[in-house]
Amino acid sequence: MNKIIDIRSDTVTQPTPEMRRVMAEAPVGDDVYGDDPTVNRLEALAAERSGKEAALFVPSGTMGNQLAIMTHTKRGDDVICGRNAHVFVHEVGAAAVLSGVILDPVDSPDDIIYPELLERAIREDDIHCPPTTLLCIENALATGKVVPLDVMEKVYETAKARGLSVHMDGARLFNAAEALGVDPAAITKYTDTVMFCLSKGLCAPVGSMLAGSREFIERARKNRKILGGGMRQCGILAAAGILALTEMPACLRTDHENAAWLRRRLAKIPGVHVKEDGIQINMVFFTLDHPKELVEALPEKLLERGIKINGISAGELRFVTNHDVTREDLAFVADCMEEILAEG
Ligand SMILES: Cc1ncc(COP(=O)(O)O)c(C=O)c1O
């Protein structure tokens, strides 16, 4: 069978052959007893990479974010996040269901929560208001943008001055670090806790990390058990996670360069409007001038040529470059797009 070129997301990446090998050979134990040597290695490594005292292996990014919210807050607290933040839009209302908190979304033209927006969003100390106790930020943003370090610093200072904890959804922390040309720890320095995914551009089959102070992570470990996230011989998965943190970050530059190349290439196709405003990671967003029927038929027409894309969402199409897609694959995608759009 010909290769399928899957540019729906970076979550579709396959574990590398080396990952499969180390998974087969990983020494394991019962992690709920703290006995899994491979998980213990991964957690120590993740803490070091994110500049935090401790880290916890969790099955998914969603669980990592929700554990952070659960551990930082008490029922009835007010939590500030971006209007388009994953915790608000894509986690099935879990913060309300699991932690009983109110998510208070902030509107921002570029999705970045600036200090003045944060100040305005914090609830007053008033008998009618829930206490605002947590800020959830994202970096990189789901829009493909990266929050600059000086903004991170100022927002963190503002949050701290107002007594808030700061959690960062860093599902693509390593993409943000690559784009900014810094260590991940230079970003997470401006957060109390961070979740980052091993399973997206870094190619591990499963898993994310939640990192923070030792005391916080111990409480989160207990909360993970409440959520049924205490896993047993999951060193099999952690083994791939270790490679995700040691070998794979260096590959993200190629994903970013490929996305930049694809943006330039697609922009040459008549009627394709590629978004260029500050997108720095492995994503390509664009709109099309073409008739609605053609735009809606695009996923099917591309699939006939072996290319998987997601359908239009909020008027935009999104292609995501990843480890399993080469520059040649992307050239083929662009050629197919040109051909299909020209046929009309
Ligand atoms: C920004 C962001 N945060 C969190 C998640 C959740 O990760 P998971 O799918 O592992 O639950 C995702 C998933 O795509 C994401 O894009």
Side-chain angles (χ1 to χ4, degrees):
M1 197 179 124
N2 286 337
K3 177 182 179 180
I4 293 284
I5 301 170
D6 196 339
I7 48 174
R8 289 173 299 171
S9 177
D10 48 11
T11 57
V12 303
T13 44
Q14 294 281 315
T16 64
E18 181 65 355
M19 281 181 179
R20 290 181 186 270
R21 191 185 62 72
V22 295
M23 289 173 78
E25 292 169 4
V28 297
D30 187 332
D31 182 50
V32 176
Y33 283 103
D35 280 354
D36 192 306
T38 312
V39 174
N40 294 342
R41 260 180 70 208
L42 171 66
E43 291 184 344
L45 178 65
E48 189 218 307
R49 294 302 319 262
S50 58
K52 300 293 180 204
E53 284 175 4
L56 181 69
F57 186 39
V58 290
S60 68
T62 301
M63 190 186 281
N65 282 335
Q66 293 305 323
L67 265 182
I69 292 174
M70 184 180 266
T71 310
H72 275 297
T73 61
K74 55 187 188 334
R75 292 179 67 76
D77 281 1
D78 177 71
V79 176
I80 296 173
C81 63
R83 166 78 54 196
N84 295 314
H86 199 275
V87 288
F88 185 59
V89 183
H90 289 118
E91 296 188 7
V92 210
V97 178
L98 301 172
S99 302
V101 297
I102 301 161
L103 288 184
D104 207 346
V106 169
D107 286 307
S108 164
D110 59 4
D111 288 308
I112 295 178
I113 302 179
Y114 293 97
E116 54 282 12
L117 295 177
L118 173 61
E119 283 282 7
R120 233 178 286 147
I122 296 172
R123 302 289 193 110
E124 280 171 38
D125 184 10
D126 180 295
I127 193 165
H128 301 94
C129 299
T132 306
T133 57
L134 177 65
L135 167 68
C136 286
I137 54 173
E138 255 180 37
N139 206 5
L141 291 159
T143 53
K145 289 178 205 159
V146 175
V147 184
L149 289 183
D150 60 326
V151 176
M152 294 265 328
E153 181 178 8
K154 288 192 193 106
V155 172
Y156 188 60
E157 279 170 5
T158 306
K160 292 285 120 186
R162 300 295 302 268
L164 271 59
S165 299
V166 178
H167 170 68
M168 187 172 101
D169 175 344
R172 295 181 181 81
L173 168 65
F174 284 80
N175 296 81
E178 167 58 37
L180 292 171
V182 299
D183 261 6
I187 303 174
T188 54
K189 187 174 152 190
Y190 304 116
T191 68
D192 296 313
T193 57
V194 59
M195 180 285 290
F196 54 95
C197 295
L198 308 170
S199 58
K200 300 194 163 59
L202 301 180
C203 296
V206 177
S208 295
M209 306 305 303
L210 175 62
S213 70
R214 202 173 310 285
E215 180 273 332
F216 181 91
I217 292 301
E218 277 325 301
R219 286 191 293 119
R221 195 177 290 280
K222 188 147 186 171
N223 285 338
R224 183 184 68 173
K225 197 78 181 77
I226 291 177
L227 297 181
M231 299 176 284
R232 302 293 177 178
Q233 287 74 20
C234 54
I236 296 259
L237 301 171
I242 290 169
L243 284 183
L245 291 184
T246 50
E247 303 297 318
M248 301 311 290
C251 302
L252 295 177
R253 174 175 294 191
T254 306
D255 294 353
H256 294 187
E257 286 170 358
N258 280 345
W261 180 88
L262 187 59
R263 282 196 287 276
R264 290 193 298 274
R265 174 69 182 85
L266 290 177
K268 291 186 183 140
I269 303 176
V272 177
H273 303 285
V274 176
K275 245 190 178 169
E276 272 299 351
D277 52 347
I279 295 168
Q280 286 170 276
I281 62 166
N282 56 337
M283 296 182 181
V284 180
F285 293 90
F286 57 96
T287 58
L288 295 171
D289 282 344
H290 303 74
K292 190 167 163 272
E293 298 69 36
L294 178 58
V295 176
E296 282 173 358
L298 202 54
E300 200 184 316
K301 285 179 183 284
L302 284 171
L303 192 56
E304 285 163 11
R305 292 157 170 87
I307 299 163
K308 281 193 182 173
I309 67 161
N310 281 325
I312 195 154
S313 167
E316 277 182 343
L317 284 154
R318 184 189 77 163
F319 290 172
V320 183
T321 58
N322 61 66
H323 187 252
D324 299 339
V325 175
T326 64
R327 184 72 65 90
E328 292 69 40
D329 294 334
L330 296 171
F332 178 66
V333 169
D335 291 346
C336 291
M337 285 282 292
E338 194 154 30
E339 184 189 303
I340 295 167
L341 295 175
E343 279 166 7

